[in-house]
Amino acid sequence: MRTLLAIGTPDDEAADAVRGLARSAREADGVAPLSEQTLLDLRDDDADLTHVLAHDGDRGVVGYAQVDRRGEAATAEIVVAPGARRHGVGRILLRTAQRDATLPSRSGAPARREPLRVWAHGDLPPARALAQDAGLVAVRELLRLGLDLGDGPASHVPPPRLPDGLVLRAFSPGDDDDAWLALNARAFAQHPEQGRMTLGDLRARQDEDWFDPAGLLLLERTGERGGNGSHDAAAALVGSCWTKIPTDQPAGAREGEIYVVGIDPAAQGEGLGTLLTAAGLAHLAAAGCARAVLYVDGDNTPAVRTYERAGFGRDAVDVQYATPVTPSSPSGATMDR
């Protein structure tokens, strides 16, 4: 098979081909090969994103890679059509991603000293084999945890009781955008992806068919006032739980996600993560979901323990692979995951 590469922002037709490729891979492998953010970025011509399409004359688009240089370490995701595997397409895309990862960032991100990190969603055997052949090792784990909610709505998962001084309400698009983004930035200041969410990222998710403002729960302290005596939502907001229920799911088998739980660092240690998780589960159950899932970094021990106490168990794991770094390496980098 002769593989030709095209580098550049996909047009509408090519973007649709990549989405179809991702669907085919998910049907074959049982796991989505590309993350939500990667799919949202398909038509983004940001200078710090590289889009690589692999074409075969007879089959059209048979592979895709996206390189993101906006963080402290460049990251990549790669997908190859099930029928085009074992022909070197993955190796070509990986080499291209490694080359483009060395380009300087234009987004103001710190100068990168770490090797490219490549996601393997589900950590499937073909991805592990590709990583091993390229001399890459696992440097980060993202756990997918799951919890059965039963076959009935909210009676199985009652909403939590709120302590005095706290109120829980639904997000109001437009009115709460800035306050939520400020909370998210504080809560995930050290997170490589979530912590850099922008207003554009938030609006892109609000435009998705799954977005429901009633599923983005805001936790506030009562009585918070701004300097002029008016209510200050940014000052009052201490936590949030964003839930996600994908559309087009069969009745009786709906799965919902605890999408993002964020706590203001100043309110850590008050048990708000447990409270918000319970509130999110109650919302998913009331919406008819039979199962809840979430993603959490494997080394985030406090969060993992919170979810395990709530009854979650491990479903799967996504892994980031990178070139191993030694103390004598010219890069001088060390890997914390």
Side-chain angles (χ1 to χ4, degrees):
M1 184 178 74
R2 184 181 180 188
T3 303
L4 301 176
L5 297 185
I7 298 179
T9 306
D11 58 19
D12 290 340
E13 182 179 357
D16 285 341
V18 172
R19 295 186 189 99
L21 171 61
R23 286 193 296 270
S24 297
R26 179 171 187 168
E27 291 171 359
D29 301 329
V31 62
L34 301 177
S35 67
E36 176 186 66
Q37 186 63 54
T38 294
L39 291 172
L40 288 173
D41 286 339
L42 263 178
R43 298 285 287 115
D44 194 335
D45 63 354
D46 190 306
D48 285 330
L49 288 176
T50 297
H51 306 270
V52 187
L53 286 89
H55 295 266
D56 172 67
D58 298 326
R59 304 181 189 180
V61 176
V62 295
Y64 172 74
Q66 185 180 117
V67 185
D68 186 346
R69 295 180 297 278
R70 294 172 294 190
E72 293 186 3
T75 60
E77 296 189 13
I78 297 172
V79 58
V80 177
R85 295 171 183 173
R86 299 180 181 275
H87 293 282
V89 178
R91 288 193 297 274
I92 293 172
L93 290 172
L94 176 58
R95 286 198 300 268
T96 305
Q98 289 173 319
R99 181 200 66 196
D100 278 40
T102 63
L103 296 174
S105 170
R106 301 184 185 183
S107 65
R112 289 184 304 277
R113 297 178 62 83
E114 295 186 15
L116 172 72
R117 295 186 171 200
V118 184
W119 279 109
H121 296 289
D123 198 26
L124 302 173
R128 290 200 300 271
L130 178 62
Q132 182 177 5
D133 289 345
L136 309 183
V137 297
V139 295
R140 179 183 173 194
E141 287 189 344
L142 186 67
L143 307 180
R144 174 186 160 106
L145 307 181
L147 170 67
D148 289 331
L149 299 176
D151 56 4
S155 59
H156 289 269
V157 185
R161 296 185 61 179
L162 298 179
D164 292 341
L166 292 175
V167 294
L168 194 65
R169 66 174 179 86
F171 177 86
S172 177
D175 296 331
D176 292 322
D177 291 3
D178 290 341
W180 185 85
L181 283 168
L183 169 70
N184 187 72
R186 295 193 302 273
F188 296 100
Q190 305 303 318
H191 195 279
E193 294 96 19
Q194 186 66 28
R196 66 174 196 248
M197 182 175 285
T198 66
L199 180 60
D201 295 328
L202 177 59
R203 294 276 169 81
R205 284 159 176 77
Q206 290 174 355
D207 290 339
E208 292 290 290
D209 58 4
W210 57 262
F211 177 74
D212 178 6
L216 177 42
L217 307 173
L218 305 184
L219 186 66
E220 294 178 326
R221 296 199 194 279
T222 57
E224 297 283 353
R225 298 287 169 178
N228 60 0
S230 62
H231 183 71
D232 186 347
L237 188 59
V238 294
S240 72
C241 179
W242 193 348
T243 63
K244 173 183 177 180
I245 304 176
T247 57
D248 300 327
Q249 296 189 83
R254 299 183 74 199
E255 186 176 86
E257 182 179 343
I258 301 293
Y259 188 54
V260 183
V261 176
I263 309 296
D264 191 310
Q268 293 286 353
E270 298 182 26
L272 301 187
T274 298
L275 186 153
L276 283 165
T277 300
L281 293 175
H283 175 82
L284 294 177
C289 293
R291 185 169 176 79
V293 299
L294 58 84
Y295 293 85
V296 61
D297 272 290
D299 65 352
N300 188 346
T301 302
V304 172
R305 287 175 177 170
T306 294
Y307 297 132
E308 288 176 342
R309 286 195 298 268
F312 282 89
R314 183 182 296 202
D315 279 355
V317 61
D318 296 341
V319 175
Q320 271 187 344
Y321 286 96
T323 304
V325 177
T326 64
S328 60
S329 169
S331 74
T334 58
M335 292 180 290
D336 58 355
R337 292 184 177 91

